[in-house]
Amino acid sequence: MLRPLATFSSIPLLLLGSLSGAALADQVLTTSGFSTCLASSDITVQKLNITYDNDAKTVTFDVAGTSTKSMNVSAVLNVTAYGESVYSNSFNPCDSSTYVSQLCPVPVGTFSATGTQAIPASYASMIPAIAFSIPDIAAQATLQLKTLGSDTDVACITSQVTNGKTVSVPAVSYVAAGVAGAALLVTGFSAVGAAASGGSTGGTGTASPSFGEVMGWFQGIAMNGMMSVNYPEVYRSFTKNFGFSTGMIPWTAMQTSIDNFRVKTGGNLTDDSVQFLQNATLVFGDGSGSSTVSKRKYDAIILIRDSISTNINSSTTASSSNSTVQTTVNGIKAYVEELSVPQANTFMTVLLIAAVVVAAIAVGILLFKVILETWALFGSFPKGLTGFRKHYWGTMARAIVNLILVLYGVWVLYCIFQFTHGDSWAAKALAGVTLALFTGVLAFFTFKIWQAARRLKAMEGDTSGLYDNKDFWMKYSLFYDSYKKDFWWLFMPTIVYMFAKGCVLAAADGHGLTQTIAQLVIECLMLGLLIWNRPYERRSGNVINIFIQIVRALSVVCILVFVEELGIAQTTQTVTGVVLIAVQSALTAVLAILIAVNAIIMCCKENPHRKRRKELEKLRDLDNLTPLDARNSLLMDPSKIPNQTIYENDPKYPLVKQQTPDSFMNEPGNPYSNATPLRPYTPGSQRSFAPTPRPFTPQSHRPQHSLESQEHLLRGQSPPRAPTLPNLQDYREYRGAAY
């Protein structure tokens, strides 16, 4: 047994003892993959797995490699934590105090060693307790071998040190998916209720946060993780939890099928397949020399053995089953390949996931339709479901269009990425067709809504018909039902916003500074648009969406810290990453609480646009009553008849005194209109025989403009003539003659 080789294997633990913090695990520290930091070397390490158990105070190791010649070397061990050097030591393997038989001298051929060795208390006490509790510790160990005397590098190995704990855990993804699912249920129940009564399905709904807003927030976090900057490992792991919102769902069987499809359509699987990723070591960096290492293998802990076994044989080779291949990744490629999706499979993965979702929507709605039809055959189902039974095809179409609207931003991203990084002509053709189809669908609805708004503006003076007209509401409301009537158009800049984000992120992949500045401009423009207009119907919608947009803009500002060109210290980057995680997690929790509140409010509050439209329909229905179609209006309770009609534009005339029966004398058409009006009968003894005529002052019983109009119509129709009075000089004679 070669205890010196075990001593060599335990040397990386000395660097762990100098760590001031980093990792989230059960008192275990282990190396996570390794990479060669020397292009051509005489010594090649093919396997390196070292695990330290703090409870047992033991080190378990598994090392294998080859050497082309025998030589005496010196070793230099450097350990860094968060960019700071925390341990550095050099030693001669041939010295009595640091003797390592396998390195004194280095043998020719293949060597390997596995085993377990106890660690002295002096070394174990150097490891701080915080090293076992911090998630995604940014610690790295580098071992250099140099020829003795000439200091020429003959080998260099770099390995990431982790405690096995990370913020990228399935539970976080499940919780996030549960929040999105709850938002979908709340929005879906509201949509089904509206469809059941013949109303709108309200794609995104008026209550915030809706399903579209929640998915947009999760997609924003995932897209932040795709930028080509030097993220700290803790934030990189955090953004992986939201990959499901962009369609990145690890599924090995599906990736294998996509690989088979690619190889038949011009793809190359040599270094871009799921099998390649399973044993590849990913080196994260932006090409500037700064990088971190991550081993893409199964998370298993090496079993501790009670003995050490070694093998030195110049005629045999080390096992290749555990050999690894180093590949440098950044940007979108780094994000998707950390999720076990090869970069060339990215678009096809999203396409298949979207197809599964569309199929689930169609099957679910049709199944519900079958249940209703079966229910109708054997009994009467609730009246509220009658509308859904009649409009289920429309409900299905609206659901698919809404899915397109939710995925449009990431769809643009993946299609452009497929054009620039894909290798299959068939996948590129599918990307082009689907991108044109999705853009065409959104452009069609945008044009139809704009056309309807323009027509309504010309005919009625405003665009309120988009909300009040039932046909328009059912067809198009999923685009604008959360906005005020004056801001129905805001969905257009929202679509442009999603398109611009996807284009910038995919087209500028590999250029972190360009991506960050362009994304910051886009986010600030959208934030300004929301603050200036405050377009949402409900005050809560304005507050929530403006706050989400503020966090998005501030997140991009923080991402500037990770841009390598700015040269920010790694400790500052790590603190910034932790702050980002805290803020984005807090906002996610707030959205989850608001979704629960909306589920309660939904039971007692109705969509305000739909409510007003229903009231107008009732009023119009009552105004259409006729003698032949009274609709039992005489039997209706007057107190239950809505009476909200206000005649604000009708002219108001003053109330005038009722005229006497001889008021016809005042009509302009009467030739005697200027004569003395008739008077009540007066006995002869009380009246004069020579009455003195007096001027007549007409009294009008109607508005002056009405008299003027009639005078203009009758003026000149007959020649004016002066009225004549009878001769009443001899009243008695006249009276006698009369009788």
Side-chain angles (χ1 to χ4, degrees):
M1 296 186 295
L2 297 178
R3 293 181 60 84
L5 184 58
T7 304
F8 163 75
S9 302
S10 65
I11 288 176
L13 295 177
L14 297 178
L15 72 95
L16 297 177
S18 58
L19 294 180
S20 58
L24 233 183
D26 294 333
Q27 303 294 299
V28 172
L29 297 176
T30 183
T31 57
S32 177
F34 69 93
S35 63
T36 300
C37 45
L38 187 63
S40 58
S41 62
D42 296 323
I43 301 175
T44 302
V45 176
Q46 296 174 321
K47 180 166 52 171
L48 176 63
N49 292 312
I50 304 173
T51 300
Y52 169 69
D53 189 335
N54 190 50
D55 295 330
K57 299 296 188 295
T58 58
V59 169
T60 302
F61 58 89
D62 186 358
V63 181
T66 60
S67 176
T68 59
K69 61 183 179 179
S70 177
M71 66 187 80
N72 291 322
V73 298
S74 63
V76 178
L77 179 65
N78 292 297
V79 180
T80 60
Y82 298 104
E84 301 292 335
S85 178
V86 295
Y87 181 83
S88 180
N89 187 27
S90 60
F91 62 94
N92 187 345
C94 295
D95 289 345
S96 59
S97 59
T98 56
Y99 181 75
V100 180
S101 63
Q102 284 289 342
L103 300 179
C104 185
V106 175
V108 178
T110 301
F111 63 89
S112 65
T114 61
T116 300
Q117 183 174 1
I119 298 299
S122 59
Y123 288 159
S125 62
M126 297 174 62
I127 303 175
I130 195 174
F132 303 99
S133 59
I134 300 297
D136 295 297
I137 180 175
Q140 192 170 346
T142 303
L143 178 66
Q144 294 175 287
L145 298 180
K146 299 182 178 183
T147 58
L148 193 62
S150 62
D151 287 340
T152 303
D153 290 336
V154 294
C156 181
I157 304 169
T158 299
S159 179
Q160 191 79 9
V161 179
T162 178
N163 55 14
K165 291 192 175 180
T166 174
V167 294
S168 176
V169 293
V172 178
S173 298
Y174 297 152
V175 171
V179 172
L184 177 61
L185 290 177
V186 172
T187 305
F189 280 129
S190 177
V192 170
S197 57
S200 166
T201 59
T204 56
T206 56
S208 293
S210 65
F211 173 69
E213 292 164 353
V214 171
M215 287 296 291
W217 168 245
F218 290 164
Q219 289 172 358
I221 298 177
M223 293 170 75
N224 284 346
M226 297 180 188
M227 298 178 70
S228 302
V229 296
N230 189 25
Y231 285 115
E233 187 63 26
V234 63
Y235 186 71
R236 191 190 307 276
S237 298
F238 174 76
T239 59
K240 286 164 54 180
N241 296 319
F242 302 92
F244 72 92
S245 64
T246 64
M248 289 293 103
I249 300 177
W251 190 351
T252 304
M254 183 174 67
Q255 296 305 321
T256 302
S257 300
I258 296 175
D259 287 341
N260 295 334
F261 171 79
R262 283 175 46 221
V263 76
K264 295 178 181 178
T265 55
N268 184 1
L269 305 185
T270 303
D271 57 356
D272 198 356
S273 65
V274 65
Q275 184 178 2
F276 174 83
L277 285 180
Q278 287 177 348
N279 292 313
T281 298
L282 302 184
V283 179
F284 297 103
D286 61 356
S288 61
S290 175
S291 63
T292 58
V293 185
S294 174
K295 180 66 173 62
R296 303 275 298 106
K297 277 185 85 70
Y298 301 105
D299 295 330
I301 298 177
I302 301 176
L303 297 177
I304 297 178
R305 301 179 182 176
D306 295 330
S307 62
I308 301 173
S309 62
T310 61
N311 178 30
I312 303 174
N313 190 343
S314 61
S315 63
T316 61
T317 59
S319 173
S320 62
S321 60
N322 292 321
S323 63
T324 62
V325 180
Q326 177 181 328
T327 178
T328 302
V329 295
N330 66 350
I332 301 174
K333 179 180 180 180
Y335 187 86
V336 299
E337 291 193 350
E338 269 285 276
L339 294 171
S340 303
V341 178
Q343 68 160 354
N345 292 8
T346 303
F347 169 75
M348 291 301 299
T349 300
V350 179
L351 178 64
L352 293 178
I353 294 296
V356 171
V357 174
V358 171
I361 291 174
V363 171
I365 293 178
L366 291 176
L367 180 61
F368 192 49
K369 169 68 173 177
V370 171
I371 293 174
L372 290 183
E373 294 296 338
T374 306
W375 194 349
L377 293 176
F378 297 96
S380 59
F381 53 84
K383 185 178 180 181
L385 297 176
T386 304
F388 175 82
R389 185 185 179 190
K390 295 179 180 179
H391 303 93
Y392 73 98
W393 284 113
T395 301
M396 185 186 302
R398 282 188 292 269
I400 295 175
V401 172
N402 191 40
L403 179 65
I404 293 175
L405 188 62
V406 169
L407 293 178
Y408 186 65
V410 296
W411 203 271
V412 172
L413 165 67
Y414 289 138
C415 287
I416 296 178
F417 186 74
Q418 177 66 35
F419 297 150
T420 56
H421 294 78
D423 56 4
S424 168
W425 61 264
K428 291 182 178 180
L430 288 173
V433 171
T434 55
L435 180 59
L437 178 63
F438 284 16
T439 304
V441 169
L442 296 181
F444 170 77
F445 279 97
T446 299
F447 173 75
K448 296 297 290 185
I449 295 172
W450 172 82
Q451 187 180 51
R454 185 182 180 186
R455 187 183 305 116
L456 290 170
K457 185 74 173 178
M459 297 176 59
E460 302 179 5
D462 57 30
T463 59
S464 59
L466 291 175
Y467 296 81
D468 300 334
N469 186 286
K470 186 175 180 179
D471 292 335
F472 289 148
W473 180 258
M474 292 182 65
K475 292 178 181 178
Y476 310 128
S477 64
L478 68 90
F479 289 92
Y480 57 78
D481 64 351
S482 58
Y483 302 130
K484 298 176 183 177
K485 291 185 177 180
D486 293 337
F487 297 101
W488 59 269
W489 48 267
L490 199 76
F491 75 92
M492 300 182 196
T494 301
I495 294 175
V496 174
Y497 162 78
M498 294 187 292
F499 180 83
K501 284 188 64 176
C503 280
V504 167
L505 194 58
D509 184 49
H511 306 278
L513 184 60
T514 302
Q515 285 179 326
T516 307
I517 294 176
Q519 291 282 58
L520 182 60
V521 171
I522 294 171
E523 299 293 356
C524 288
L525 288 176
M526 191 64 184
L527 176 60
L529 182 65
L530 293 180
I531 294 177
W532 181 263
N533 293 306
R534 294 187 295 277
Y536 289 88
E537 174 68 20
R538 303 189 182 189
R539 182 179 302 176
S540 60
N542 285 314
V543 173
I544 293 171
N545 284 277
I546 289 176
F547 187 71
I548 289 176
Q549 195 60 34
I550 289 174
V551 174
R552 284 175 176 166
L554 292 178
S555 298
V556 179
V557 173
C558 292
I559 291 174
L560 280 172
V561 177
F562 308 138
V563 176
E564 189 67 27
E565 289 85 345
L566 301 182
I568 307 297
Q570 189 174 358
T571 52
T572 304
Q573 293 178 342
T574 302
V575 172
T576 304
V578 173
V579 171
L580 270 177
I581 292 174
V583 173
Q584 293 176 345
S585 299
L587 182 54
T588 302
V590 170
L591 293 179
I593 295 173
L594 291 176
I595 290 171
V597 173
N598 286 340
I600 300 174
I601 294 178
M602 184 185 65
C603 301
C604 10
K605 210 166 189 178
E606 191 178 6
N607 184 303
H609 299 309
R610 183 170 175 268
K611 182 178 180 181
R612 284 194 291 268
R613 177 173 56 79
K614 290 295 184 180
E615 291 176 352
L616 291 175
E617 289 179 355
K618 291 180 181 179
L619 292 176
R620 285 195 297 265
D621 186 63
L622 291 174
D623 289 341
N624 292 333
L625 298 178
T626 64
L628 297 179
D629 186 17
R631 294 191 288 280
N632 297 325
S633 59
L634 297 178
L635 302 178
M636 296 176 63
D637 185 359
S639 62
K640 297 182 179 180
I641 299 178
N643 187 17
Q644 301 176 1
T645 305
I646 301 176
Y647 301 94
E648 296 178 351
N649 299 323
D650 290 353
K652 307 296 190 297
Y653 300 115
L655 181 63
V656 298
K657 183 179 179 181
Q658 183 67 32
Q659 301 298 314
T660 59
D662 57 351
S663 60
F664 68 90
M665 291 291 294
N666 298 328
E667 298 290 342
N670 185 5
Y672 299 98
S673 59
N674 295 327
T676 303
L678 297 178
R679 295 185 297 275
Y681 173 75
T682 305
S685 59
Q686 298 179 7
R687 50 176 148 166
S688 171
F689 288 93
T692 302
R694 56 176 178 169
F696 172 68
T697 302
Q699 297 181 354
S700 175
H701 67 283
R702 62 181 62 197
Q704 185 63 27
H705 71 272
S706 178
L707 294 175
E708 292 176 357
S709 63
Q710 294 186 17
E711 288 175 355
H712 289 308
L713 291 174
L714 298 175
R715 187 174 296 168
Q717 298 301 317
S718 60
R721 56 179 180 174
T724 57
L725 298 175
N727 186 10
L728 302 177
Q729 294 296 328
D730 191 355
Y731 180 77
R732 290 188 180 91
E733 181 179 355
Y734 173 77
R735 182 179 180 182
Y739 293 98

